[in-house]
mmCIF file of all heavy atoms in Angstrom:
data_model
loop_
_atom_site.group_PDB
_atom_site.id
_atom_site.type_symbol
_atom_site.label_atom_id
_atom_site.label_comp_id
_atom_site.label_asym_id
_atom_site.label_seq_id
_atom_site.Cartn_x
_atom_site.Cartn_y
_atom_site.Cartn_z
ATOM 1 N N LEU A 1 78.535 71.133 62.818
ATOM 2 C CA LEU A 1 78.112 72.332 63.499
ATOM 3 C C LEU A 1 76.878 72.159 64.313
ATOM 4 O O LEU A 1 76.464 73.064 65.004
ATOM 5 C CB LEU A 1 77.884 73.492 62.559
ATOM 6 C CG LEU A 1 79.196 74.043 61.821
ATOM 7 C CD1 LEU A 1 78.787 74.888 60.720
ATOM 8 C CD2 LEU A 1 79.977 74.800 62.846
ATOM 9 N N GLY A 2 76.304 70.983 64.265
ATOM 10 C CA GLY A 2 75.145 70.658 65.109
ATOM 11 C C GLY A 2 73.738 70.864 64.409
ATOM 12 O O GLY A 2 72.766 70.857 65.139
ATOM 13 N N ALA A 3 73.688 71.000 63.132
ATOM 14 C CA ALA A 3 72.354 71.206 62.461
ATOM 15 C C ALA A 3 71.677 69.864 62.231
ATOM 16 O O ALA A 3 72.314 68.868 62.208
ATOM 17 C CB ALA A 3 72.616 71.896 61.158
ATOM 18 N N ASN A 4 70.394 69.959 62.087
ATOM 19 C CA ASN A 4 69.601 68.734 61.653
ATOM 20 C C ASN A 4 69.630 68.768 60.177
ATOM 21 O O ASN A 4 69.208 69.718 59.518
ATOM 22 C CB ASN A 4 68.118 68.859 62.105
ATOM 23 C CG ASN A 4 67.990 68.313 63.539
ATOM 24 O OD1 ASN A 4 68.884 67.611 64.132
ATOM 25 N ND2 ASN A 4 66.827 68.651 64.196
ATOM 26 N N VAL A 5 70.169 67.671 59.617
ATOM 27 C CA VAL A 5 70.344 67.594 58.114
ATOM 28 C C VAL A 5 69.506 66.476 57.511
ATOM 29 O O VAL A 5 69.418 65.355 58.023
ATOM 30 C CB VAL A 5 71.836 67.383 57.777
ATOM 31 C CG1 VAL A 5 72.026 67.428 56.335
ATOM 32 C CG2 VAL A 5 72.730 68.380 58.511
ATOM 33 N N LYS A 6 68.840 66.892 56.391
ATOM 34 C CA LYS A 6 68.089 65.899 55.616
ATOM 35 C C LYS A 6 68.688 65.873 54.232
ATOM 36 O O LYS A 6 68.859 66.939 53.578
ATOM 37 C CB LYS A 6 66.652 66.177 55.640
ATOM 38 C CG LYS A 6 65.926 66.138 56.946
ATOM 39 C CD LYS A 6 64.440 66.510 56.811
ATOM 40 C CE LYS A 6 63.830 66.423 58.261
ATOM 41 N NZ LYS A 6 62.423 66.904 58.228
ATOM 42 N N VAL A 7 69.013 64.702 53.711
ATOM 43 C CA VAL A 7 69.655 64.541 52.449
ATOM 44 C C VAL A 7 68.752 63.824 51.466
ATOM 45 O O VAL A 7 68.245 62.770 51.790
ATOM 46 C CB VAL A 7 71.031 63.828 52.466
ATOM 47 C CG1 VAL A 7 71.817 63.943 51.183
ATOM 48 C CG2 VAL A 7 71.903 64.475 53.651
ATOM 49 N N PHE A 8 68.702 64.385 50.214
ATOM 50 C CA PHE A 8 67.893 63.802 49.200
ATOM 51 C C PHE A 8 68.736 63.455 47.984
ATOM 52 O O PHE A 8 69.517 64.299 47.568
ATOM 53 C CB PHE A 8 66.714 64.722 48.838
ATOM 54 C CG PHE A 8 65.673 64.906 49.857
ATOM 55 C CD1 PHE A 8 65.820 65.802 50.965
ATOM 56 C CD2 PHE A 8 64.464 64.178 49.820
ATOM 57 C CE1 PHE A 8 64.878 66.011 51.889
ATOM 58 C CE2 PHE A 8 63.512 64.374 50.793
ATOM 59 C CZ PHE A 8 63.749 65.267 51.854
ATOM 60 N N ASP A 9 68.554 62.278 47.363
ATOM 61 C CA ASP A 9 69.160 61.930 46.184
ATOM 62 C C ASP A 9 68.418 60.914 45.473
ATOM 63 O O ASP A 9 67.685 60.119 46.111
ATOM 64 C CB ASP A 9 70.651 61.528 46.466
ATOM 65 C CG ASP A 9 71.449 61.492 45.187
ATOM 66 O OD1 ASP A 9 71.486 60.531 44.390
ATOM 67 O OD2 ASP A 9 72.250 62.494 45.008
ATOM 68 N N SER A 10 68.595 60.680 44.116
ATOM 69 C CA SER A 10 67.810 59.736 43.368
ATOM 70 C C SER A 10 68.557 58.349 43.471
ATOM 71 O O SER A 10 67.857 57.391 43.123
ATOM 72 C CB SER A 10 67.751 60.137 41.898
ATOM 73 O OG SER A 10 69.001 60.399 41.430
ATOM 74 N N SER A 11 69.746 58.333 44.049
ATOM 75 C CA SER A 11 70.497 57.097 44.140
ATOM 76 C C SER A 11 70.585 56.569 45.546
ATOM 77 O O SER A 11 71.176 57.272 46.408
ATOM 78 C CB SER A 11 71.923 57.262 43.555
ATOM 79 O OG SER A 11 72.728 56.100 43.833
ATOM 80 N N LEU A 12 70.122 55.416 45.808
ATOM 81 C CA LEU A 12 70.239 54.783 47.127
ATOM 82 C C LEU A 12 71.716 54.533 47.523
ATOM 83 O O LEU A 12 72.113 54.581 48.644
ATOM 84 C CB LEU A 12 69.453 53.495 47.197
ATOM 85 C CG LEU A 12 67.869 53.722 47.454
ATOM 86 C CD1 LEU A 12 67.276 52.331 47.307
ATOM 87 C CD2 LEU A 12 67.607 54.264 48.768
ATOM 88 N N THR A 13 72.408 54.134 46.401
ATOM 89 C CA THR A 13 73.904 53.784 46.664
ATOM 90 C C THR A 13 74.642 55.013 47.163
ATOM 91 O O THR A 13 75.399 55.024 48.123
ATOM 92 C CB THR A 13 74.530 53.308 45.340
ATOM 93 O OG1 THR A 13 73.842 52.152 44.901
ATOM 94 C CG2 THR A 13 76.028 52.994 45.550
ATOM 95 N N ARG A 14 74.394 56.242 46.510
ATOM 96 C CA ARG A 14 75.073 57.381 46.963
ATOM 97 C C ARG A 14 74.635 57.806 48.388
ATOM 98 O O ARG A 14 75.394 58.307 49.170
ATOM 99 C CB ARG A 14 74.795 58.592 45.967
ATOM 100 C CG ARG A 14 75.578 58.519 44.724
ATOM 101 C CD ARG A 14 75.590 59.858 43.999
ATOM 102 N NE ARG A 14 74.285 60.227 43.521
ATOM 103 C CZ ARG A 14 73.878 59.908 42.270
ATOM 104 N NH1 ARG A 14 74.617 59.223 41.412
ATOM 105 N NH2 ARG A 14 72.661 60.220 41.774
ATOM 106 N N LEU A 15 73.373 57.659 48.713
ATOM 107 C CA LEU A 15 72.850 57.998 50.033
ATOM 108 C C LEU A 15 73.539 57.037 51.077
ATOM 109 O O LEU A 15 73.838 57.507 52.177
ATOM 110 C CB LEU A 15 71.356 57.765 50.067
ATOM 111 C CG LEU A 15 70.502 58.828 49.322
ATOM 112 C CD1 LEU A 15 69.066 58.445 49.334
ATOM 113 C CD2 LEU A 15 70.683 60.268 49.977
ATOM 114 N N ARG A 16 73.636 55.761 50.766
ATOM 115 C CA ARG A 16 74.264 54.800 51.622
ATOM 116 C C ARG A 16 75.712 55.146 51.815
ATOM 117 O O ARG A 16 76.265 55.134 52.959
ATOM 118 C CB ARG A 16 74.169 53.360 51.057
ATOM 119 C CG ARG A 16 74.516 52.316 52.013
ATOM 120 C CD ARG A 16 74.297 50.906 51.409
ATOM 121 N NE ARG A 16 72.881 50.699 51.134
ATOM 122 C CZ ARG A 16 72.307 50.532 49.889
ATOM 123 N NH1 ARG A 16 73.078 50.551 48.844
ATOM 124 N NH2 ARG A 16 71.029 50.254 49.783
ATOM 125 N N ASP A 17 76.427 55.551 50.693
ATOM 126 C CA ASP A 17 77.784 55.909 50.774
ATOM 127 C C ASP A 17 77.991 57.223 51.631
ATOM 128 O O ASP A 17 78.949 57.379 52.438
ATOM 129 C CB ASP A 17 78.437 56.129 49.364
ATOM 130 C CG ASP A 17 78.602 54.867 48.659
ATOM 131 O OD1 ASP A 17 78.564 53.822 49.271
ATOM 132 O OD2 ASP A 17 78.784 54.942 47.424
ATOM 133 N N LEU A 18 77.051 58.141 51.566
ATOM 134 C CA LEU A 18 77.150 59.378 52.254
ATOM 135 C C LEU A 18 77.009 59.128 53.772
ATOM 136 O O LEU A 18 77.726 59.686 54.599
ATOM 137 C CB LEU A 18 76.018 60.345 51.825
ATOM 138 C CG LEU A 18 76.015 61.760 52.423
ATOM 139 C CD1 LEU A 18 75.716 62.823 51.443
ATOM 140 C CD2 LEU A 18 75.037 61.827 53.603
ATOM 141 N N LYS A 19 76.073 58.253 54.201
ATOM 142 C CA LYS A 19 75.933 57.971 55.515
ATOM 143 C C LYS A 19 77.230 57.329 56.105
ATOM 144 O O LYS A 19 77.531 57.567 57.229
ATOM 145 C CB LYS A 19 74.730 56.966 55.742
ATOM 146 C CG LYS A 19 73.412 57.592 55.561
ATOM 147 C CD LYS A 19 72.219 56.582 55.842
ATOM 148 C CE LYS A 19 72.002 56.336 57.219
ATOM 149 N NZ LYS A 19 70.790 55.643 57.490
ATOM 150 N N SER A 20 77.787 56.533 55.333
ATOM 151 C CA SER A 20 79.051 55.832 55.823
ATOM 152 C C SER A 20 80.145 56.959 55.805
ATOM 153 O O SER A 20 80.999 56.879 56.809
ATOM 154 C CB SER A 20 79.523 54.794 54.738
ATOM 155 O OG SER A 20 80.679 54.188 55.119
ATOM 156 N N PHE A 21 80.238 57.837 54.923
ATOM 157 C CA PHE A 21 81.247 58.902 54.931
ATOM 158 C C PHE A 21 81.080 59.845 56.161
ATOM 159 O O PHE A 21 82.086 60.151 56.813
ATOM 160 C CB PHE A 21 81.082 59.668 53.589
ATOM 161 C CG PHE A 21 81.958 60.857 53.572
ATOM 162 C CD1 PHE A 21 83.313 60.809 53.203
ATOM 163 C CD2 PHE A 21 81.437 62.240 53.797
ATOM 164 C CE1 PHE A 21 84.109 61.934 53.269
ATOM 165 C CE2 PHE A 21 82.223 63.295 53.692
ATOM 166 C CZ PHE A 21 83.572 63.197 53.439
ATOM 167 N N VAL A 22 79.839 60.262 56.385
ATOM 168 C CA VAL A 22 79.563 61.218 57.521
ATOM 169 C C VAL A 22 79.728 60.551 58.863
ATOM 170 O O VAL A 22 80.147 61.106 59.909
ATOM 171 C CB VAL A 22 78.234 61.789 57.252
ATOM 172 C CG1 VAL A 22 77.951 62.722 58.548
ATOM 173 C CG2 VAL A 22 78.206 62.709 56.069
ATOM 174 N N GLY A 23 79.418 59.202 58.850
ATOM 175 C CA GLY A 23 79.514 58.435 60.110
ATOM 176 C C GLY A 23 78.422 58.846 61.164
ATOM 177 O O GLY A 23 78.725 58.933 62.412
ATOM 178 N N HIS A 24 77.268 59.218 60.637
ATOM 179 C CA HIS A 24 76.192 59.746 61.470
ATOM 180 C C HIS A 24 74.918 59.144 60.985
ATOM 181 O O HIS A 24 74.704 58.960 59.711
ATOM 182 C CB HIS A 24 76.193 61.272 61.382
ATOM 183 C CG HIS A 24 75.399 61.911 62.565
ATOM 184 N ND1 HIS A 24 74.035 62.144 62.383
ATOM 185 C CD2 HIS A 24 75.738 62.403 63.692
ATOM 186 C CE1 HIS A 24 73.604 62.755 63.461
ATOM 187 N NE2 HIS A 24 74.614 62.933 64.301
ATOM 188 N N ASN A 25 73.948 58.867 61.950
ATOM 189 C CA ASN A 25 72.656 58.390 61.492
ATOM 190 C C ASN A 25 71.775 59.476 60.915
ATOM 191 O O ASN A 25 71.042 60.062 61.630
ATOM 192 C CB ASN A 25 71.975 57.702 62.681
ATOM 193 C CG ASN A 25 70.745 56.886 62.273
ATOM 194 O OD1 ASN A 25 70.693 56.434 61.115
ATOM 195 N ND2 ASN A 25 69.834 56.608 63.184
ATOM 196 N N LEU A 26 71.881 59.737 59.643
ATOM 197 C CA LEU A 26 71.241 60.799 58.957
ATOM 198 C C LEU A 26 69.845 60.396 58.534
ATOM 199 O O LEU A 26 69.541 59.281 58.243
ATOM 200 C CB LEU A 26 72.064 61.259 57.792
ATOM 201 C CG LEU A 26 73.459 61.936 58.035
ATOM 202 C CD1 LEU A 26 74.121 61.977 56.642
ATOM 203 C CD2 LEU A 26 73.163 63.344 58.529
ATOM 204 N N TYR A 27 69.054 61.431 58.252
ATOM 205 C CA TYR A 27 67.701 61.360 57.608
ATOM 206 C C TYR A 27 68.161 61.419 56.094
ATOM 207 O O TYR A 27 68.579 62.426 55.496
ATOM 208 C CB TYR A 27 66.822 62.491 58.021
ATOM 209 C CG TYR A 27 65.527 62.458 57.210
ATOM 210 C CD1 TYR A 27 64.310 62.094 57.815
ATOM 211 C CD2 TYR A 27 65.472 62.928 55.858
ATOM 212 C CE1 TYR A 27 63.167 62.151 57.085
ATOM 213 C CE2 TYR A 27 64.327 62.983 55.147
ATOM 214 C CZ TYR A 27 63.131 62.604 55.739
ATOM 215 O OH TYR A 27 61.926 62.555 55.083
ATOM 216 N N THR A 28 67.857 60.311 55.373
ATOM 217 C CA THR A 28 68.053 60.341 53.911
ATOM 218 C C THR A 28 66.826 59.840 53.162
ATOM 219 O O THR A 28 66.059 59.056 53.795
ATOM 220 C CB THR A 28 69.288 59.354 53.562
ATOM 221 O OG1 THR A 28 68.988 58.067 54.019
ATOM 222 C CG2 THR A 28 70.581 59.856 54.147
ATOM 223 N N SER A 29 66.618 60.262 52.021
ATOM 224 C CA SER A 29 65.439 59.921 51.255
ATOM 225 C C SER A 29 65.624 60.044 49.756
ATOM 226 O O SER A 29 66.513 60.917 49.355
ATOM 227 C CB SER A 29 64.260 60.813 51.612
ATOM 228 O OG SER A 29 63.126 60.618 50.784
ATOM 229 N N THR A 30 65.088 59.203 49.039
ATOM 230 C CA THR A 30 65.060 59.370 47.544
ATOM 231 C C THR A 30 64.182 60.606 47.235
ATOM 232 O O THR A 30 63.420 60.996 48.100
ATOM 233 C CB THR A 30 64.487 58.206 46.781
ATOM 234 O OG1 THR A 30 63.284 57.853 47.389
ATOM 235 C CG2 THR A 30 65.432 56.947 46.979
ATOM 236 N N ILE A 31 64.300 61.162 46.095
ATOM 237 C CA ILE A 31 63.663 62.405 45.762
ATOM 238 C C ILE A 31 62.196 62.119 45.376
ATOM 239 O O ILE A 31 61.956 61.634 44.230
ATOM 240 C CB ILE A 31 64.352 63.153 44.608
ATOM 241 C CG1 ILE A 31 65.778 63.536 45.032
ATOM 242 C CG2 ILE A 31 63.624 64.409 44.251
ATOM 243 C CD1 ILE A 31 66.695 64.107 43.992
ATOM 244 N N GLN A 32 61.317 62.350 46.368
ATOM 245 C CA GLN A 32 59.847 62.227 46.129
ATOM 246 C C GLN A 32 59.233 63.501 46.455
ATOM 247 O O GLN A 32 59.404 64.105 47.476
ATOM 248 C CB GLN A 32 59.334 61.055 47.048
ATOM 249 C CG GLN A 32 59.954 59.736 46.829
ATOM 250 C CD GLN A 32 59.531 58.713 47.881
ATOM 251 O OE1 GLN A 32 58.522 58.892 48.420
ATOM 252 N NE2 GLN A 32 60.384 57.783 48.127
ATOM 253 N N PRO A 33 58.464 64.080 45.461
ATOM 254 C CA PRO A 33 57.932 65.484 45.656
ATOM 255 C C PRO A 33 57.234 65.719 47.013
ATOM 256 O O PRO A 33 57.482 66.766 47.617
ATOM 257 C CB PRO A 33 56.908 65.536 44.449
ATOM 258 C CG PRO A 33 57.457 64.705 43.469
ATOM 259 C CD PRO A 33 58.141 63.509 44.176
ATOM 260 N N LYS A 34 56.382 64.864 47.439
ATOM 261 C CA LYS A 34 55.617 65.072 48.694
ATOM 262 C C LYS A 34 56.635 65.093 49.900
ATOM 263 O O LYS A 34 56.499 66.050 50.738
ATOM 264 C CB LYS A 34 54.605 64.009 48.943
ATOM 265 C CG LYS A 34 53.419 64.087 47.962
ATOM 266 C CD LYS A 34 52.287 63.139 48.415
ATOM 267 C CE LYS A 34 51.036 63.231 47.574
ATOM 268 N NZ LYS A 34 50.015 62.272 47.894
ATOM 269 N N THR A 35 57.562 64.202 49.891
ATOM 270 C CA THR A 35 58.520 64.218 51.030
ATOM 271 C C THR A 35 59.429 65.431 50.978
ATOM 272 O O THR A 35 59.821 66.032 51.998
ATOM 273 C CB THR A 35 59.419 62.909 50.948
ATOM 274 O OG1 THR A 35 58.573 61.774 50.799
ATOM 275 C CG2 THR A 35 60.237 62.743 52.227
ATOM 276 N N LEU A 36 59.808 65.847 49.778
ATOM 277 C CA LEU A 36 60.745 66.918 49.599
ATOM 278 C C LEU A 36 59.981 68.301 49.988
ATOM 279 O O LEU A 36 60.592 69.090 50.763
ATOM 280 C CB LEU A 36 61.164 67.077 48.152
ATOM 281 C CG LEU A 36 62.181 68.146 47.772
ATOM 282 C CD1 LEU A 36 63.437 68.083 48.685
ATOM 283 C CD2 LEU A 36 62.581 68.161 46.327
ATOM 284 N N VAL A 37 58.744 68.372 49.576
ATOM 285 C CA VAL A 37 57.986 69.553 49.950
ATOM 286 C C VAL A 37 57.875 69.756 51.451
ATOM 287 O O VAL A 37 58.048 70.809 52.026
ATOM 288 C CB VAL A 37 56.594 69.519 49.265
ATOM 289 C CG1 VAL A 37 55.641 70.678 49.916
ATOM 290 C CG2 VAL A 37 56.727 69.800 47.822
#
């Protein structure tokens, strides 16, 4: 739909798989309080 999406997860493997699934250069990050806030 054209939104800017940021994805957070504790697993790098899941984040890597998600980027491959979506086929888009997403902003992904592990769950770190400062970054999440």
Side-chain angles (χ1 to χ4, degrees):
L1 288 168
N4 275 345
V5 185
K6 295 178 180 178
V7 186
F8 291 82
D9 196 278
S10 57
S11 169
L12 281 171
T13 302
R14 282 197 294 267
L15 291 171
R16 193 177 293 116
D17 290 344
L18 184 141
K19 287 181 77 171
S20 175
F21 171 79
V22 175
H24 195 273
N25 191 22
L26 290 169
Y27 175 105
T28 57
S29 173
T30 53
I31 299 173
Q32 301 171 25
K34 285 186 178 179
T35 311
L36 183 57
V37 167

